[in-house]
Amino acid sequence: MKICVLPGDGIGPEIVAEAVRVLKALDLPDLQLEEGLLGGCAVDATGNPYPEATQKLAREADAILLGAVGGPQWDSLPREQRPERGLLGIRKDLNLFGYNTMVYSESEIRRIGHVAFQAAQKRDKKLCSVDKMNVLECTQLWRDVMIEISHDYPDVELSHMLVDNAAMQLVKAPKQFDVMVTGNMFGDILSDEASMLTGSIGMLPSASLDDKNKGLYEPSHGSAPDIAGKGIANPLATILSGAFMLRWLGDRHEDPTLIESASRIEKAVELTLAQGLVIPRDLGGRASCTEVTAAICKNLKN
Ligand code: NAD
Ligand code: MN
């Protein structure tokens, strides 16, 4: 199994190093990690935010683990040289759907819907689709397609919510939700909001998948230039993205060891937080980035 590791910019290299430490601590003999450049660091080294060497690595890999890209030092570059262009580039190149666009074709909505229903089937079998069909007429198509697809998944209960209400309900009663599905713009905003339910944006993993479930896994936060290089970033979102990656890889390749390893990471994170001894700064603790990882690695054995 080949994993393309792209640390990126800002806190990216710090948190990705920690996720790699956890992956290595699992002793999975089939996991090969190979590093590449993406984002601002790639612009500095090659002039291209998604250089050819990275393209080759990413295409050949079974999964991609990414830190984050971007930072103020690259904000004044022409648009095609900005780090964010690298991220859009890799998502487009690998056909990770729904991510680069505000405009969806019907077939794209259908693909997104199927992935969401399948995700709900693996969990509590509840799916909430978020749109704004009362005002944004274009989201009527979104709702119609979700309803049509729901007939293929009779075991999943589909509900609909308007995005402004969803933003409110997420704060008021988050436990009513299990899997939510929505477009790029609403999803970006709601996922940052949802991250705070866990205490910090430093906690939330994310994945973007292609139609064969090959994925790019990354924390849902950015490169946090304000704390880069200080060793205080919370690595848990990236460590949990690694767990996410193992679960989907395990699923895709029918490898129960990988799925078990994903659960081991998730349990070690839960245990570490429950013990309350090693808590990252953004959650009100004092632990450094590497101290958090050391505690996770120790708890992998429990
Ligand atoms: P951000 O998520 O980087 O930071 C927002 C706030 O959360 C900051 O105060 C930061 O210190 C804090 N934070 C984020 N991750 C943290 C962690 N792991 N531990 C502790 N604190 C953490 O968002 P921003 O400030 O809007 O953007 C900064 C840069 O990141 C920009 O260049 C932006 O383009 C880029 N960005 C990249 C991605 C990505 O690579 N997918 C996503 C969002 C933003
Ligand atoms: Mn975001």
Side-chain angles (χ1 to χ4, degrees), residues 230-289:
K230 296 185 178 159
I232 58 171
N234 181 351
L236 291 178
T238 317
I239 290 171
L240 289 169
S241 299
F244 231 8
M245 177 181 83
L246 294 182
R247 185 176 304 281
W248 280 91
L249 273 175
D251 224 51
R252 198 166 150 233
H253 297 272
E254 295 178 13
D255 183 340
T257 318
L258 293 178
I259 297 174
E260 256 163 55
S261 301
S263 301
R264 276 178 72 198
I265 298 177
E266 287 158 0
K267 286 193 185 120
V269 170
E270 239 172 74
L271 181 61
T272 304
L273 294 174
Q275 285 166 335
L277 300 170
V278 181
I279 301 292
R281 308 242 175 158
D282 56 325
L283 293 178
R286 316 181 59 127
S288 71
C289 195

Side-chain angles (χ1 to χ4, degrees), residues 9 11 15 38 66-72 74-75 83-84 87 91 99 188 192 200-203 206 216 218-228 232-238 280-283:
D9 310 316
I11 60 169
I15 53 182
L38 184 81
L66 169 70
V69 303
W74 297 288
D75 280 350
E84 292 75 14
L87 198 53
R91 284 173 177 160
Y99 235 111
D188 194 5
D192 272 35
S200 166
I201 197 166
M203 295 297 300
S206 93
L216 180 149
E218 58 176 326
S220 43
H221 57 73
S223 58
D226 53 331
I227 56 166
I232 58 171
N234 181 351
L236 291 178
T238 317
R281 308 242 175 158
D282 56 325
L283 293 178

